[in-house]
Amino acid sequence: MTSEEILAGSVILIDKPLTWSSFQAVNKLKYLLKRKFDLPKKFKIGHAGTLDPLATGLLIICTGKFTKKITEIQAQAKEYTGTIVLGATTPSYDLETEINAHFTTEHLTEELIFEATQQFIGEIDQKPPVFSAIKKDGKRLYEHARAGEEVEIQTRKTTIFEFQITRIQLPEVDFRITCSKGTYIRSVAYDFGLALQSGGHLSALRRNKIGDYSVINAVTPVEFEKLMHDEI
């Protein structure tokens, strides 16, 4: 990798670690690239699709002229794997917040769980989590939520192409989902619990693919730093 290549446009595949924000990952690469190469102070760098801090996996980072491709990359189908915990809900639909309600899971069978996935295949109306970065009245939804303000959230059209159950060890259910841009897997977890007449929340999430880009070909920020150092 050269400074010319970075400015002309590069796509860097990062395996985002747990608890890192997407913004942190971009800033880390920006710092490493500026330290390694003689780049302009405001060279262009950005990511093609946010991953929550509690999610891991593929984060596509574009530099230079390739930042113009970000919208195009974001529009591609995505693949996720993860774990839904049935029998309990949280306000954020994941582990960012504490459990706020418990529900029975005694009625759940493998057959019911497999059947419930069919309700989510195709185009669906999905309500984004209240703890999300969508803006409402000039503030992000999570800012309203943390301030204890109730806001009305509109449903959005999204498409789920595949929803496979890969392990059932109640209360945990592992899954693989392929979906369109704008799908909130946290909302799928919550709605899946409702469909089973039980609560549900997301306890683990990993993004494996965006279009033809795969996390198999990605490196962690620590590995990227080592690569930069080894090239000296």
Side-chain angles (χ1 to χ4, degrees):
M1 188 181 288
T2 65
S3 58
E4 290 78 15
E5 288 172 340
I6 295 164
L7 295 173
S10 294
V11 172
I12 303 168
L13 305 185
I14 291 296
D15 186 349
K16 189 191 78 66
L18 190 67
T19 74
W20 280 54
S21 70
S22 300
F23 182 74
Q24 276 178 291
V26 171
N27 266 4
K28 177 70 172 177
L29 262 68
K30 186 175 184 179
Y31 167 75
L32 292 172
L33 290 169
K34 284 182 75 173
R35 188 178 68 175
K36 171 78 174 176
F37 304 105
D38 184 23
L39 297 171
K41 190 173 182 180
K42 292 186 177 180
F43 84 97
K44 291 182 179 179
I45 185 168
H47 65 75
T50 303
L51 263 183
D52 290 335
L54 294 181
T56 66
L58 184 61
L59 186 70
I60 298 177
I61 295 180
C62 299
T63 71
K65 293 177 182 176
F66 275 23
T67 52
K68 293 178 182 177
K69 293 178 178 280
I70 284 176
T71 303
E72 176 189 327
I73 294 170
Q74 282 178 324
Q76 297 181 47
K78 298 169 178 65
E79 180 190 285
Y80 296 91
T81 51
T83 302
I84 298 169
V85 176
L86 297 170
T89 55
T90 71
S92 61
Y93 302 171
D94 65 3
L95 296 178
E96 184 185 340
T97 53
E98 298 290 323
I99 289 170
N100 62 353
H102 290 272
F103 304 84
T104 183
T105 58
E106 290 180 5
H107 63 290
L108 297 178
T109 63
E110 288 195 1
E111 186 181 7
L112 273 175
I113 290 168
F114 283 118
E115 282 180 358
T117 63
Q118 297 307 305
Q119 299 177 34
F120 295 84
I121 303 297
E123 188 177 70
I124 60 170
D125 289 312
Q126 184 183 76
K127 187 174 283 190
V130 68
F131 280 80
S132 63
I134 294 169
K135 282 195 172 181
K136 173 86 173 179
D137 301 330
K139 284 167 65 176
R140 302 204 180 272
L141 287 183
Y142 63 76
E143 292 176 321
H144 287 289
R146 287 169 185 160
E149 300 164 358
E150 287 194 19
V151 291
E152 188 178 340
I153 304 171
Q154 299 297 319
T155 60
R156 296 177 164 204
K157 297 283 185 188
T158 188
T159 303
I160 295 179
F161 306 110
E162 296 176 275
F163 188 176
Q164 296 179 337
I165 302 300
T166 56
R167 180 183 71 103
I168 299 173
Q169 191 77 50
L170 289 175
E172 292 185 350
V173 174
D174 288 355
F175 63 86
R176 185 183 76 86
I177 284 175
T178 58
C179 56
S180 66
K181 173 193 175 185
T183 304
Y184 281 91
I185 307 299
R186 283 182 288 152
S187 291
V188 173
Y190 178 82
D191 293 339
F192 191 62
L194 286 180
L196 288 166
Q197 297 183 321
S198 176
H201 65 276
L202 195 65
S203 66
L205 184 65
R206 183 164 177 79
R207 185 159 67 196
N208 301 311
K209 292 181 181 178
I210 300 176
D212 293 329
Y213 297 102
S214 173
V215 74
I216 292 170
N217 302 313
V219 295
T220 66
V222 170
E223 290 168 338
F224 185 82
E225 184 168 13
K226 187 175 184 300
L227 287 170
M228 290 289 96
H229 183 267
D230 290 347
E231 285 183 9
I232 293 173

